[in-house]
Amino acid sequence: MVLSYKHEPFTDFTNIENQKAFEKALQDVHSQLGKDYPLVIGGERITTDEKITSINPADKEEVIGTVSKANKELAEKAMQTALRTFETWKKWDPEARANILFRAAAILRRRKHEFSSYLVKEAGKPWREADADTAEAIDFLEYYARQMVKLKSGVPVESREGEINKFNYIPLGVGVIISPFNFPLAIMAGTTVAAIVAGNTVLLKPANNTPVVAAKFVEVMEEAGLPNGVLNYIPGSGSEIGDYLVDHPKTRFVSFTGSREVGCRIYERAAKVHPGQIWLKRVIAEMGGKDTVVVDKDADIDLAVSSIVYSAFGFSGQKCSAGSRAVIHEDVYDEVLEKAVALTKTLTVGNPEDVNNYMGPVIDQAAYNKIMKYIGIGKEEGRLMCGGEGDDSKGYFIQPTIIADVDEKARLMQEEIFGPVVAFCKARGFDHMMEIANNTDYGLTGALISNNREHIERARTEFHVGNLYFNRGCTGAIVGYQPFGGFNMSGTDSKAGGPDYLILHMQAKTTGEML
Ligand SMILES: NC(=O)c1ccc[n+]([C@@H]2O[C@H](COP(=O)([O-])OP(=O)(O)OC[C@H]3O[C@@H](n4cnc5c(N)ncnc54)[C@H](O)[C@@H]3O)[C@@H](O)[C@H]2O)c1
Ligand SMILES: N[C@@H](CCC=O)C(=O)O
């Protein structure tokens, strides 16, 4: 019997045994660095001359691995393989497909610290963030497997006398999975296995900064018994193979997580019907955010401060859910600001291999340059209270930065920075707070810190975000507990880790039989 779903607990790193185990895993992973990873198409390992070199963002000299790079011909080979494999995979008993996910979850759980160590090395995640990323990947496997078992017999519909009507879900076909660098295990794995367990075959194109952890995950799925050709691993250039596969007439759906710019491009291209295409493509596009922590007049100030600071600076602000705006009632603004600056100054920045560092680097030179440019803009749009400095000599380190007194319409309050920068903005009252909270193109996450019941209830309907939290920060959704996805330009609100998610990867079929 399958036990009911419970999310994977996080590792307690204050426990010395856990600390030692993680240090050992880091050493083991260190000894594995620099390997070469081939493409995997139909189980065949294909090595190309052209490579993606994955480096450690905390130490540019350290190569995590080199990864073969698919071109259009190889993407086409992967498509043909996935199309062929779909004909058999779609007929598998959904429960048997779910069993592969359960087994993969068990393997990942046994190798938890190893995977988290790859996340420390390849993505620059501090231990706790890496551990949470691996736990979330396990959660996705466990949760979607159970969801598939629930959906396998469809949903009951009514029948009149003399007929039997049924309503079942069947798979779609070949899906293209395009994942971001910032949850290189959880989002990559979650989007991939949701499509697979629903009976589809997939082409996985991971982010170019983090392809090694994806290659390791493909090995886990093979070990768990996934038949060859169901999951095809094809890292490559987004603009080359990404465009090619999004445009492909045999692509049935695209599951994308990443920036608004790329998401909109995919959405638009996927809408065009190409010669030989006999369906309208489905697109799941989960994109950026400009997320707000709102602090009410009668809030618990210390809770407000920690919610702002940890939502803004966890994983150096490189979360779509990051609280990059703090909107604070004018009566408590100065106090919250002062305390937030003091707390931020205690945060340590450095190599994430050291458990004592709260923040590691940002992902690459382009991200570093972009964030530093925004800090420059912030200095003009507001008052620099702390941080503001960066050092890209060894890795891409940026100090956690608070910019105060920013106008609600300023660029710092409107544009996704995706780095450790938070803008503080003063509000006149609750109406004004809600107005500011809703004044961006996005609508992903938000938090209200308040002890005013009427304001909490008003925010429940007026604060227009896909994930709204009260009296806590705005990051850290848990699979199965807080299904995740946003409104407006944050995407298609697919709600990863939620009860509707798998259905997006299937089509419903009605049958009616006369007796
Ligand atoms: N809403 C969410 O659930 C969610 C979750 C994580 C990250 N994000 C967002 O992702 C962004 C950060 O991730 P990123 O920098 O990896 O995003 P990105 O858009 O730069 O890249 C995402 C993926 O798209 C690929 N890509 C690039 N060009 C492409 C093209 N023309 N066709 C197809 N694929 C292409 C990339 O290679 C990568 O695999 C942020 O904006 C963040 O808010 C959103
Ligand atoms: N689901 C994550 C964010 C994913 C995007 O980066 C959270 O809730 O913090």
Side-chain angles (χ1 to χ4, degrees), residues 177-183 187 205-209 236-244 246 256-263 265-266 269 285-289 318-321 363 370 416 418 442 444 484-486 490-491 496:
I177 312 292
I178 303 172
S179 54
F181 79 83
N182 71 328
F183 280 79
I187 291 181
K205 198 215 85 56
N208 288 344
N209 290 312
S237 145
S239 53
E240 188 188 354
I241 65 159
D243 282 352
Y244 180 75
V246 168
F256 167 81
T257 313
S259 61
R260 168 179 175 173
E261 187 194 352
V262 176
R265 179 189 176 96
I266 289 173
R269 291 185 84 107
E286 294 310 314
M287 314 192 292
Q318 299 174 110
K319 298 183 191 181
C320 55
S321 54
I363 193 68
K370 178 182 164 194
E416 187 183 50
F418 222 57
Y442 297 100
L444 188 44
F484 189 81
S490 292

Side-chain angles (χ1 to χ4, degrees), residues 224-241:
L226 191 70
N228 289 338
V230 176
L231 166 53
N232 301 283
Y233 171 73
I234 48 163
S237 145
S239 53
E240 188 188 354
I241 65 159

